[in-house]
Structures are given as C-alpha cells and as structure tokens.
Amino acid sequence: MKKKTGTGLIIAALLTSIFITIAVPDTSVFAAEPAVATETESCPLIRTFTDTSYINKHGNVYLNLTCEEIKAKGYEYGDIVKVKIGGKKYRVPFVSDFTDVDKGETALFAREADTYAVIAVAYGDFATRSGLAVKTEHEDGTFEWNFTDNVTGPVKVSIWMKKKGGYAEGYAIHSVVRTNERADYPDLSDEEFANFREVNTTGMGKGILYRTSSPVNPEIGRNSYADKAMEKAGVTVVLNLADSDTSILEFEGFADTYYSTLKYKTLDLTIDFKSEDFEKSLAEGLRFLSETPGIYAIHCKEGKDRAGYVAAILECLMGASYEEVVSDYMTTYYNYYGVTKEDFRYEPILNGNLVKSLKEAFTFKKSDKKKDLSTRNLSKCAEKYLKGIGLSSEEIKNLKANLSGTGVTDGTEITKRKIIIDTDTGADDASAIILAAKNSNVEILGVTTLVGNVDLEQGTRNALMALEMAGADIPVYNGAKTNYDGENIDAFSVFGSDGMGDADLIHPTKKAETTDAVDFIIDSVKKYPGEIEIVVLGPATNIANAIDKDPATMRKVKMIWSMGTAGLGHGNASPVAEFNVYGDAPAYKRMLDFGVPVTIIGLDSCDGAAQWTGIQFEELDKTNETGHFVAASFGKIREFYAANGSEDATMNCDSLAMTCILYPEFIKGTISTHASCITDKGETYAQVIFYKKGFTYDIVKNEFDYNVTLVTDVDKENYFANYISAIK
C-alpha cells in the first residue's frame, strides 16, 4: 500500500519562548522524508536539513517537526505564531486541519495523527505564493521544485510564539474532528460513513451523478464502504480528482475492487482551485465526462474539498438553486463532523470554503464581488466558468445532456424523475400536461385534479383528454371540489365553459381512478420518499390537504414546482395577486410555510416569454393532431386577450413552467428568498411577498430562513420552438 501524504495534512510548529530554526537545502527535488533533527547549543531546537524536507505537489512545505514536539513546548491550537521563511515573515495561526482556517489563509498545520507539521496555504500553494520555489511539471506526471532566483539554500525556517490564544475563537468556530473508525459513527449508514450520496439537485438526472470519499485509498478507512456503494448504485464511470494513473495502482487491493472494472479518469488535482494547473486538469476531466455517457461518481480522498467544489460547479451548471448547492456541500460536514445548520460552526465553514470558492470562480468583473450568490444566475456563471477553463460550447452541451440523463447511450438503464401533476385543467394546463407526457425523461405517476379554472368534474375530463391526445396511459385522480375554506372561483370567462375553448374537443374514453387525489399523493411519497416532484399548475388545495392529512410523509417530497404568484411583477387576478394563488390563498400559505423545497415560476417570468403570437398558433395548428388540439383549445383565451388590448400575444404560463421543469437549461436566473402569502381579505389578498436579502426585514433572520427559489429569467427565444419540437 502506498502511504500518501494528502491534502488534509497540516502545518505546525512552535515553541513557547524559544524559536525553532529549520534549514532547507538548495536542491531541486526534495526527498520523501525530513532528515534526522540535530541539537546545537545556539538554540534549544535547531533543525538542520541536509537533503530532506520537501515541498509536496500542492506547495505545502513540510518540516521535520511533529505535533507532539510542538505541544511539548507549550504551544496549543489557536495560538498565533510568527514564521520566518526565505527572508519573509508571516503571522499565522497554529491549527490542526485546513478546515480550521478560511480558504486561502496561511497557517502552521500539525495534526496529531500525521508525522510532520507543514506550513501551507489552506487549499492554495504556499511555495509559489511566498516566492520560495517554482514548480515544473513533466509530461510523465512527475514534478520538481526549484528555488526562485532570490532564494538561496539552505533556507531557514524560524518559528516562535506571537500571541498565546490569539486565534482561540477562530479555531473554536472552525475546528472539526473526524475519526476513521466505523464504530464511531453508529447513527450513520454505511453510505453516509463513506460520504457517498447521489447528487439529486435540480436539473440533475435521477441516478446519474454520485459523489464520495475515495473508494480505493484506505487512508481514512472508508474505501471499502465507498466501493460497495458505487457497485450498488451501478456506477460505470469515475472521475478521480486525487490520484494519478500510477499512484492509484499502488493502493493495496486495487485490482480486487469494483472500481478497477470501471472506466475511470485520474486528474491528480492540486488543492489550489484558482491555479492554472487545477483549471487545465479539471477541464480535461469534464471533457472526459462529456465524451463518456454513463452513471458517474466523482471523488477525491475525503470527497470534501475538491469533490465538493467540482460537484458544486456541476450542480450550478445544471440549474440547482443556491440552497440546494449549500445543502449538498454541507452534508459532508455532517457526515464527518456532525455539523448541522444549528451548529455555530456551520456558517463560518460554509462562508470560508464553498461561498468563497464559488465567488472566486464566478467573479468576472468588479461588480460581481458585491453580489450575493443566492441572487445570481448560477447556471450562467458555471457555464461561463467552464468556458473560461477551456471547455467549448459543444462540450458543455454534451456534459449537460449526460448529467441530465438524456445523453446516456451505453445501454445503462436510467431511473427517470418521478413527478405528479396537480392541475385545475384549463387549456394552458392541458398544453403543459401534453408537453410532460411526451417527455421520455420523466415518469408521470399520476395527474391529480381540483377546482380552479373550471369545476372539478370538467377539469378531470380535460386532463383525461389531454393525456389521450398525448398518447399516454397515465391515471387521473379527483381531488378538491372546493378550496381550503370551502369557497370557489372560476375562469370560465377566460377559458370558455369547458375550459378548453368551447371547441368540442373533450370526449375522453377513460375515467378517473376511484382513489382520492390526496391519498394518491401521500401513497406515492411513501413509496418513493425523497424522489417525488409535484408540479402545481393550479391552486394548492390538494397539496395543503395532503400536508394536513400526513405531514410526516409530505416532508419527504423532493420538490414542489409552482406555476403561481405574480413573482416580482403585477398580478392577473388583482393588481398584486395571481389567479392560482387567489383561488386558494390559505392553501398556498400552508404550502409555503410547511418547509419542503418550493420553486416558483411566477407571472413576471412569463411576461413576454410565454406569449404566443397568431403566426405561432397557426404553426402549432398545422404541426399534427396534438398541435391542432392545443391551438383550438386556446380559442377563447385568445379572444379574451384580444378584447383586453393584446391582439397578437397570448400567454401560456403553464407550458413555460413545465418547460423549465423538464428542461432546466431554460431557467436563466433564480433568487433564493423568503415568500409569504397574505390571506387577510382585502386589496392585498393572495399577494405573495418576496423578501430580498440585504434589507433589515425582521422575518428573515438569515439565509437559512429562505423557503423558496424564485425563477427570475427564462430562455424566451427558444420556448415556442422547443414546444413544437417536443410534441411532434
């Protein structure tokens, strides 16, 4: 087995009232271990290197000084020490691990489990940054360090106390402890102990991407668990961020692993995410994924830093919200260290690592630095970042197709996204149902109906007819006959008496199921916990009723997608309220306040984007029988828009919302926010207020109070063309 001195290794060294002097020889390649220390009378601890101490591939400078020796002289984690190396002085904390300081900070690291202390930049390159040495990489994957012209060996490294306990508070905030013993984690599953999990954020195909600790490196005791988890998940392609083609073969038992039978790519990434080497190698790895469809796993050693960063970039690219990216990243800190949202260390760890790294990656101009990640279009940022490191538009397109599951061509069976469509079926709902039913990448478990645009019975008939036109055998379930408070509104004046343009289109040959919609929703979530996405195209009555009936089960819903609210614009049921919310404001409030993930596509996103012209309706009518059905069903709506001053533009918000759900690349902007629905009768009834970060609103204490992701921008130019293509 190869002993690896990895990224987690740490810096350290100090004496209470005495200083340590370490000399580094003028040699281009440092040996693997420091020389034996010698004592001289001039200083109690003088380390003289002959040809030993080395700089590793990350630019960390190793010292022939152990944590035990340092602590024996009275030094403690959280002390501030003064380090002089190569003629330069540094005031740095003495800590255990890279997670004990913010990303990019220099420190003296000494972990008791490791042999030697190191001076390093957390997730950076100290040797280069300090001007101590320059790294040369060779074609065979080896490297060597050479002192810069202004540094002459031997190099002295002197360390002494600067301020006792000067970093104690910072260390307490950052400090986390991990063990490598399975028995120390009795509450975790084997997969959680291995830090193995599916990446199931928005836009990511079901069962497509997994992240994990190393399935081959035994250093942290999780490799066998990770390898078994990969086999169970059916992983076929691996992106190894930590090892080289040579080093991976040196791990004991590698040939006997499931891993060894797979396609894999080794990158041997540095931990300096901003370095040219890192970006060049990452581009090579992602290019490999774009060219190799399959079921993917990405890993480094712990699956924490390099894997966490790369996973976050891919999640952003595929359309994940800020909250989803944060949740996935911080799951690692729970798996290893038990850190939860309530833990005082949570935010410092998050902000000092992921947030800092993504801001650095997504900063393309000065104004970007001031923007909060939750308000930025993370998908656009990620795409721009990938182009910046060398990927072409075509490679990014292929990568997204593979990650969504649409690019898998090797015979691998892909688990489709499981959705339930909840609808008050009018013409726009029907067009959205058809769009979803024609999509091969989702499994529609059922359609649930309720009162809204039309009465329940008519809405159910319309849903059955839409599915027939799509050629889909999907069950329909009757839901709420009245809204949450026993009242009703309708939109006959807009959609016609049958909700479908009064064009004699509705003649379904099938009937609804006898099971109630609420029971069907609850039973489906019980059967597929954490997998169900509910698409709410009408009022939220069925959802609220399901929450009331079985809140424990409904907390296992993966995502609720809502075509509702006025977004950040004007309403259509009142100046401030949108029809679906207005149809049952108490139910919508119940859904928002419940706490499951909600993504909203509001009216403001539909303005302009969701408007189909007369010429486009003519094209739709001529496409095929399905296109004719949709075009004809919009007859009354087009009359309504024309009578209200919009002769050649008719909104179809439900189909736009469904497009965003089925094709996440159509979402071009989102914000994370807190949404609150007004239920008091009056002019503002059913208004949904979105609280903007950066203002002193009492209800929003911090970013973790945000309960929704609001879509703010969509692909307006390609919406109609995509619809036509999808229904052919």
Side-chain angles (χ1 to χ4, degrees):
M1 184 189 83
K2 178 179 179 183
K3 176 169 175 57
K4 294 186 63 68
T5 314
T7 353
L9 210 58
I10 320 172
I11 330 180
L14 317 126
L15 305 145
T16 37
S17 55
I18 351 184
F19 64 85
I20 307 164
T21 302
I22 303 161
V24 182
D26 189 0
T27 177
S28 59
V29 185
F30 295 108
E33 294 186 358
V36 177
T38 60
E39 301 282 344
T40 71
E41 294 182 359
S42 59
C43 178
L45 278 176
I46 298 177
R47 300 302 194 253
T48 302
F49 291 89
T50 55
D51 59 353
T52 52
S53 175
Y54 71 101
I55 303 174
N56 77 351
K57 69 176 183 180
H58 305 303
N60 303 339
V61 178
Y62 283 80
L63 312 176
N64 66 334
L65 190 66
T66 67
C67 182
E68 183 178 327
E69 290 175 304
I70 295 168
K71 289 191 171 183
K73 292 297 181 179
Y75 286 91
E76 297 177 306
Y77 294 141
D79 290 342
I80 297 289
V81 300
K82 190 173 181 181
V83 176
K84 185 175 181 181
I85 180 171
K88 296 182 179 179
K89 296 179 181 179
Y90 303 88
R91 184 177 182 273
V92 301
F94 170 41
V95 294
S96 171
D97 206 335
F98 280 16
T99 54
D100 295 338
V101 295
D102 285 346
K103 177 180 178 291
E105 285 193 24
T106 301
L108 177 62
F109 300 94
R111 190 160 54 193
E112 298 189 41
D114 295 315
T115 305
Y116 299 108
V118 298
I119 298 172
V121 173
Y123 312 112
D125 179 347
F126 177 80
T128 300
R129 182 188 289 189
S130 66
L132 180 66
V134 176
K135 183 167 72 170
T136 301
E137 296 199 29
H138 305 296
E139 291 183 359
D140 63 0
T142 61
F143 64 89
E144 62 178 325
W145 288 94
N146 292 279
F147 287 127
T148 55
D149 293 340
N150 61 335
V151 176
T152 303
V155 176
K156 285 185 177 181
V157 181
S158 302
I159 305 169
W160 61 96
M161 180 70 74
K162 180 65 178 177
K163 186 176 182 181
K164 186 70 175 172
Y167 185 67
E169 183 177 352
Y171 180 72
I173 290 174
H174 288 80
S175 181
V176 289
V177 178
R178 181 201 77 221
T179 82
N180 299 332
E181 300 297 326
R182 179 68 181 94
D184 292 336
Y185 296 85
D187 295 332
L188 298 187
S189 67
D190 286 348
E191 288 82 4
E192 289 169 327
F193 175 69
N195 199 30
F196 179 95
R197 60 187 174 278
E198 179 187 349
V199 177
N200 59 3
T201 53
T202 297
M204 204 70 71
K206 176 67 179 173
I208 293 294
L209 179 63
Y210 296 85
R211 52 176 297 188
T212 180
S213 61
S214 177
V216 290
N217 185 345
E219 186 177 336
I220 63 170
R222 288 161 169 81
N223 55 309
S224 62
Y225 297 98
D227 192 55
K228 289 177 182 176
M230 280 207 317
E231 184 173 11
K232 182 179 178 181
V235 169
T236 60
V237 180
V238 182
L239 189 61
N240 182 333
L241 310 177
D243 305 307
S244 67
D245 286 341
T246 302
S247 67
I248 193 174
L249 299 178
E250 297 177 6
F251 291 124
E252 185 177 356
F254 173 77
D256 299 324
T257 61
Y258 172 72
Y259 190 115
S260 66
T261 68
L262 307 177
K263 298 177 185 177
Y264 64 83
K265 176 78 172 177
T266 63
L267 300 184
D268 195 17
L269 290 180
T270 176
I271 52 175
D272 184 358
F273 304 157
K274 296 187 295 182
S275 71
E276 183 178 344
D277 288 345
F278 180 92
E279 293 181 346
K280 180 180 177 182
S281 296
L282 178 58
E284 183 182 340
L286 296 182
R287 194 170 289 118
F288 166 73
L289 296 188
S290 75
E291 297 168 353
T292 315
I295 307 299
Y296 304 114
I298 58 174
H299 75 88
C300 48
K301 184 173 71 175
E302 296 176 300
K304 176 166 65 74
D305 302 312
R306 285 165 289 184
Y309 177 75
V310 174
I313 294 292
L314 296 179
E315 290 162 7
C316 290
L317 176 69
M318 297 302 292
S321 67
Y322 174 69
E323 287 93 347
E324 288 179 299
V325 177
V326 167
S327 177
D328 179 57
Y329 184 85
M330 292 302 294
T331 295
T332 293
Y333 285 85
Y334 174 77
N335 289 344
Y336 281 131
Y337 315 112
V339 175
T340 64
K341 284 184 178 182
E342 294 72 31
D343 195 304
F344 72 99
R345 298 169 296 177
Y346 188 97
E347 286 193 62
I349 290 171
L350 172 64
N351 293 325
N353 293 283
L354 177 67
V355 172
K356 190 170 185 178
S357 295
L358 289 184
K359 282 189 173 181
E360 289 173 349
F362 296 163
T363 295
F364 309 110
K365 51 188 179 181
K366 289 183 178 180
S367 60
D368 291 340
K369 295 180 180 179
K370 299 179 180 179
K371 295 180 180 178
D372 189 272
L373 288 172
S374 64
T375 65
R376 301 193 65 185
N377 185 329
L378 297 180
S379 181
K380 278 186 178 179
C381 287
E383 185 165 341
K384 193 169 183 179
Y385 168 78
L386 294 182
K387 288 180 179 179
I389 66 174
L391 268 68
S392 67
S393 296
E394 187 66 21
E395 287 169 336
I396 294 172
K397 179 181 177 182
N398 291 339
L399 177 62
K400 292 173 72 173
N402 288 346
L403 291 174
S404 70
T406 61
V408 176
T409 58
D410 63 355
T412 303
E413 184 178 349
I414 299 301
T415 304
K416 299 179 181 181
R417 293 167 63 192
K418 294 177 172 58
I419 69 172
I420 294 172
I421 300 174
D422 189 60
T423 174
D424 58 339
T425 325
D428 52 349
D429 302 70
S431 68
I433 292 170
I434 289 170
L435 180 64
K438 290 278 190 178
N439 191 289
S440 61
N441 294 315
V442 296
E443 178 185 359
I444 304 174
L445 300 181
V447 174
T448 54
T449 59
L450 75 160
V451 65
N453 288 323
V454 292
D455 59 70
L456 174 63
E457 182 181 357
Q458 186 64 57
T460 298
R461 286 168 52 78
N462 294 348
L464 289 166
M465 194 69 227
L467 290 169
E468 252 183 74
M469 292 305 302
D473 185 15
I474 297 169
V476 176
Y477 300 86
N478 285 307
K481 294 182 178 180
T482 63
N483 70 17
Y484 208 46
D485 289 340
E487 300 176 0
N488 287 326
I489 64 169
D490 61 63
F492 292 130
S493 61
V494 178
F495 292 95
S497 61
D498 66 356
M500 299 290 289
D502 292 337
D504 195 26
L505 299 171
I506 310 305
H507 305 286
T509 60
K510 296 183 178 181
K511 294 183 178 181
E513 306 296 313
T514 56
T515 301
D516 178 74
V518 168
D519 291 333
F520 165 71
I521 291 171
I522 292 171
D523 290 344
S524 297
V525 178
K526 284 181 178 178
K527 186 175 181 180
Y528 302 108
E531 296 185 44
I532 302 295
E533 300 175 64
I534 304 177
V535 180
V536 182
L537 299 177
T541 316
N542 285 337
I543 309 305
N545 288 338
I547 291 170
D548 286 347
K549 186 168 185 177
D550 192 344
T553 295
M554 289 300 289
R555 291 197 184 281
K556 298 174 184 177
V557 170
K558 178 180 179 180
M559 174 68 72
I560 294 176
W561 298 86
S562 167
M563 193 288 111
T565 84
L568 302 178
H570 297 287
N572 62 356
S574 80
V576 296
E578 179 271 339
F579 178 83
N580 287 336
V581 183
Y582 197 89
D584 199 342
Y588 205 84
K589 178 177 175 59
R590 181 76 172 104
M591 181 182 75
L592 290 179
D593 294 348
F594 183 58
V596 298
V598 177
T599 297
I600 294 174
I601 300 97
L603 280 179
D604 59 335
S605 290
C606 303
D607 190 19
Q611 291 180 344
W612 288 355
T613 65
I615 292 176
Q616 288 174 323
F617 273 107
E618 289 178 11
E619 180 182 349
L620 178 65
D621 184 59
K622 297 175 182 177
T623 300
N624 53 24
E625 185 180 4
T626 305
H628 169 72
F629 174 83
V630 174
S633 70
F634 269 77
K636 288 294 183 181
I637 306 176
R638 293 178 65 191
E639 290 177 9
F640 175 83
Y641 272 87
N644 285 274
S646 182
E647 294 185 9
D648 198 37
T650 302
M651 275 192 178
N652 185 356
C653 295
D654 286 349
S655 285
L656 178 66
M658 190 65 79
T659 299
C660 291
I661 295 163
L662 301 175
Y663 310 94
E665 63 270 21
F666 272 76
I667 299 176
K668 298 302 181 182
T670 62
I671 60 171
S672 300
T673 181
H674 185 96
S676 180
C677 182
I678 296 175
T679 57
D680 294 336
K681 297 293 185 180
E683 292 183 334
T684 60
Y685 175 75
Q687 180 181 14
V688 177
I689 300 172
F690 297 98
Y691 289 81
K692 183 178 179 182
K693 187 172 184 178
F695 289 78
T696 55
Y697 299 130
D698 290 339
I699 194 170
V700 181
K701 306 301 181 185
N702 55 54
E703 58 189 317
F704 305 115
D705 288 328
Y706 293 172
N707 58 349
V708 303
T709 297
L710 177 67
V711 174
T712 57
D713 190 20
V714 297
D715 184 348
K716 302 177 181 180
E717 296 182 4
N718 297 306
Y719 164 46
F720 180 76
N722 181 79
Y723 189 90
I724 292 291
S725 176
I727 67 169
K728 285 183 178 179

